[in-house]
Amino acid sequence: MQKMAELLGLRDECGEGTSGAPALAGSCLADNRLNLDVYPDGCRRFLQLFKERRGEVVQVEFLRLSSNDWLLDTTLGSLPHLKHLKSLVLKGGHVRDKFGSYQHGSLTSLPPDFGNLRCLTHLDLSFNRLSTLPSCILHLPNLCVLLVSHNSLVTLPEDFGCLSKLTFFSAMKNQLKDLPQSIGELSMLQELDLSENALELLPEEVGNLHNCTELDLSGNRLLSIPGSLANLKSLRRLHLHSNLLVTVPASLASLPDLSRLDLQNNCLRAIPAEIQALPFVHVRGNPLGETEQSPQADKSSTRRLQRLFLASGEGSFTVTSEGCRVVLACGIHFYFPPGAASNPLRIYFRSLTPDPQWVKLRHHDVLLSRVLELQPHGVQFQQEVQIWMPYISPQTPHQHEVVVRTFSGQSWSDLRTRAKQKRKSKKCVAHCCVLHFSWFLVVSRLVQNECRVPAEGTLLFSSVDPNIKVIFPPGVTKEPRSVKLQVLPVSAEEIEEITANAGCRASPLLYLSQDSTVDFLKPVRIQLPFPPGVTGLNLDRSRVHILHGDLEGQAWNDITSEVVLEFTHLYAVFEVTHFSWYWLWYTTKTYIGGIARKVYERLRLYQVNFIALQRKKDPEQVLLQCVPKHKVDPVLKKLQDRYRGPEPSDMVEMFEGEQFFAAFERGISIDMDRPDCVDGRLSFIFYSHLKNMKEIYVSSPVNRKCQAVKGQVSFYRGAVPDSIPEDASRRRKGPDSLWLATLPIKLPQLKPRWDEKPGPLCGSSFPPLNLGNAETGYLTQANLLSIARRVGADWQSIGLSLGLTYQQIERIGYNNREDLNKQILDMLFSWAQQNSEDPDCVSKLITAMKESGRQDIADEVEAIIELGRQKYSESIRRVGLEQESSTEDSAIAM
């Protein structure tokens, strides 16, 4: 215990120890449950409770801990002492990496005496690092529900069938290659999920699972399935999509209760007529009706590849040496030619929001897509894999070209890309070929012309403006080097608008780069056209300036006196030995470096407006968006039916990829724990062709029962200053150079709600409820309150399974963000009020609990209903009364 106290930092001199235990127990220990996975230090809290309130902790029946906790190994040693434990959750996935993916927990094994938990019926070890199933699990005689999804299991124990009471087993997203024959001994098993593994063959004994109602084998490598599956007379749903099936037994059509048969994305050329006639069979993505090639045929030209169509919730697929075509729900296509992968390979993908910390855009680049990550990284394919990525069509197609950019882990590079527009949908896609996977995105860059310069010299000219040429004389280099040329046209109108001087004119901007750090051995001749309206006939040589800019365009030096200038009727020609930006100006100004810098910066800026709208049905839901000026009217027209708000802000200018912040002020606040919240302000990144939109819930510390709140949202460039002058605070102008715009936000006065009156539980009282009917049994207010004590941090997934909208869930979480119990209660009673007239609502509650992985709660609700039904029947037989008393009886059952 002393060592444990040192780990926990439980020392009396620190103000902790027994004196702090009651407060801790009061906040964590509720009846016979401990939901500690909602705390980042849940294991520390458990160990402290176990040390100081052991008598109460060993009576706990429901326990949830996060396996991302660094004290997990220490905690595991104490769990076998909880002899009354019925439900145990040791899940990972409570921590995310920098890209937003869930991190697996640290659990790799369980202590041997874990098998002493004889009362355990529900065990969840998902999102961990298990490579083998701990043998102690096989000694849990009453285990009914076992979840080991998102681990690294390769096989299951041979005596796995000894878990005779198992009714639900999920091992999805592991690496299982086969199943033990003893799996057929799980006679009580009702749901079996083995999706997204590496299964190639099923044992015939699977057909002995006579009580199985749902079997998910999707995302494996099955070539066939045993005919014994026709013995599963209770089977309702059979998922076989995304395998390698070439045949299915016709006997599946005889299953009496089957209501869904998913055969999508397989290699089926023919399906038995009995199965094809079923109204609930799904066969999309199969080469149906195609004849199998003859052995003499050229396989590389005649083989019909497997096609996979993935739904929005899927995040991986398997590629074999046979190759395949894959279509993601977001519109991304892949083509894996035969032989690209020598062995079956699991491919994982995800779409990421671009982060300017590692997505580096060059000047005049435009981002056209989100970031696509493909894993595993670094795996070398035997043949090139083709990728088609949808993108948003750029506004300046002549000046720019579309390329796919990839990240090697150190730097970004552009791939050879072919862009096209689909004929029917008019959507744009970018096509590239790769030999390995990493991160990919689509950008629009200045059109790039390049050539290889040999020792004999060569000529390079721009495809955007053929009048711009670069001449490399013989002997310019000893070793061949690569040279790239980009041109940015600048109109006379733009120059005049920015400089406010009709006499200033400029040529297109020229950017030259090379792959060598050594200057050329001989001068390179550059030809630039005169600005519009200037020719060799009316040329005033004193007004001609050749400017050289650094790589960032921050400093522009006049090098006219340093080079030899030649003039023709239409061009200026000069010589240089190193590359960067070059710009020809024609003006009466003597010093134009500052003017050129200003013009260059303005050419990179976008004129934008800010929008702040509130949803008509829920004014606390606020939509913020930064919109390019030419898109404002179409965006507002699209939103006007659902939102209202002030006119857009005045026009401001922003760079592509620039960060800005939105701060709610004057009595309006937001959830500070949001991942995109920095010092109380929402962080945005402006990309001219992306939406730049966020929809959030706001609240106010002001008592809105008596008055409305007239607040505002202000947009800032970078960080908001600590102190703002009074006039700037009032008008948001003047010395505050970071201020961009301010828009009003009004929260109306609150109307009384049903849960506002103080009551005995959590400061709220709840209306009387009679959910269900006399025949199926009732659930009352007391029942729901007791069920709420069983629910933990998974209340959001339960709410979604119950049919609540995502907006409702987000609103409930925000309104009760300081109290998990209130979140749970608000969710359950909101659902109950919406469904109080539905006679089937109780069965829907049970189904939702099962779908959310809470079989323990579903069993308890069924027990409550059964007990209430029995008491009702007894009362009818005993005194012939009607159903008024059944609601009270079911409440007593809790």
Side-chain angles (χ1 to χ4, degrees), residues 299-591:
K299 294 183 179 181
S300 63
S301 62
T302 61
R303 174 177 295 161
R304 174 71 174 186
L305 293 181
Q306 179 190 17
R307 292 188 299 172
L308 305 179
F309 296 87
L310 302 186
S312 57
E314 298 180 80
S316 64
F317 56 89
T318 299
V319 177
T320 68
S321 59
E322 301 295 320
C324 63
R325 295 181 182 273
V326 183
V327 181
L328 307 187
C330 60
I332 296 174
H333 291 225
F334 301 98
Y335 169 65
F336 295 86
S342 55
N343 296 308
L345 179 64
R346 195 72 178 174
I347 304 296
Y348 297 89
F349 60 89
R350 55 178 175 168
S351 177
L352 305 172
T353 302
D355 184 344
Q357 297 297 324
W358 60 285
V359 176
K360 301 296 185 182
L361 295 179
R362 303 158 193 163
H363 286 193
H364 311 289
D365 282 351
V366 179
L367 185 64
L368 302 179
S369 74
R370 289 168 60 90
V371 180
L372 169 67
E373 183 187 10
L374 298 173
Q375 293 180 315
H377 297 161
V379 173
Q380 189 79 9
F381 292 101
Q382 305 302 314
Q383 297 186 46
E384 286 189 331
V385 176
Q386 299 184 48
I387 306 175
W388 288 264
M389 292 184 64
Y391 66 89
I392 302 169
S393 177
Q395 302 297 323
T396 54
H398 175 64
Q399 303 173 6
H400 285 68
E401 61 185 353
V402 173
V403 295
V404 176
R405 189 166 290 172
T406 182
F407 186 62
S408 64
Q410 301 294 329
S411 60
W412 290 89
S413 59
D414 294 345
L415 300 173
R416 188 180 299 275
T417 307
R418 183 166 57 90
K420 67 175 183 178
Q421 188 178 53
K422 294 183 178 180
R423 292 182 180 178
K424 293 183 178 180
S425 63
K426 302 298 182 183
K427 293 183 178 179
C428 299
V429 291
H431 171 254
C432 65
C433 300
V434 297
L435 283 171
H436 65 276
F437 280 170
S438 59
W439 292 268
F440 303 88
L441 52 82
V442 182
V443 299
S444 173
R445 71 180 184 190
L446 293 177
V447 174
Q448 183 171 284
N449 302 108
E450 59 183 303
C451 70
R452 194 75 176 164
V453 180
E456 297 79 17
T458 188
L459 170 67
L460 177 62
F461 65 90
S462 169
S463 58
V464 174
D465 188 343
N467 295 315
I468 297 178
K469 298 178 181 180
V470 183
I471 302 108
F472 299 90
V476 73
T477 179
K478 288 184 178 180
E479 299 294 333
R481 63 180 76 182
S482 178
V483 174
K484 298 176 183 178
L485 175 153
Q486 292 175 294
V487 170
L488 177 63
V490 185
S491 67
E493 292 77 12
E494 288 177 305
I495 296 292
E496 182 177 348
E497 180 184 355
I498 298 172
T499 62
N501 187 342
C504 282
R505 302 177 190 178
S507 72
L509 262 165
L510 170 63
Y511 178 68
L512 294 170
S513 61
Q514 59 171 323
D515 61 356
S516 174
T517 57
V518 180
D519 287 346
F520 289 100
L521 300 179
K522 290 184 178 182
V524 176
R525 292 173 63 85
I526 296 177
Q527 173 182 294
L528 291 178
F530 288 129
V534 179
T535 67
L537 298 177
N538 61 6
L539 181 68
D540 181 351
R541 295 194 175 201
S542 65
R543 299 173 64 179
V544 176
H545 300 268
I546 300 295
L547 301 183
H548 169 265
D550 62 9
L551 294 179
E552 297 298 322
Q554 294 298 310
W556 291 89
N557 298 317
D558 191 337
I559 61 172
T560 310
S561 60
E562 302 172 16
V563 298
V564 178
L565 268 173
E566 299 177 14
F567 300 102
T568 68
H569 181 63
L570 298 175
Y571 312 109
V573 181
F574 57 97
E575 295 181 343
V576 297
T577 57
H578 61 278
F579 284 172
S580 185
W581 288 97
Y582 292 97
W583 208 352
L584 187 153
W585 277 69
Y586 191 76
T587 178
T588 57
K589 302 287 185 180
T590 55
Y591 174 73

Side-chain angles (χ1 to χ4, degrees), residues 41-55:
D41 60 343
C43 286
R44 185 191 70 82
R45 291 172 181 252
F46 174 84
L47 292 172
Q48 182 175 347
L49 282 168
F50 188 76
K51 175 177 179 288
E52 300 171 355
R53 304 288 292 274
R54 181 166 179 165

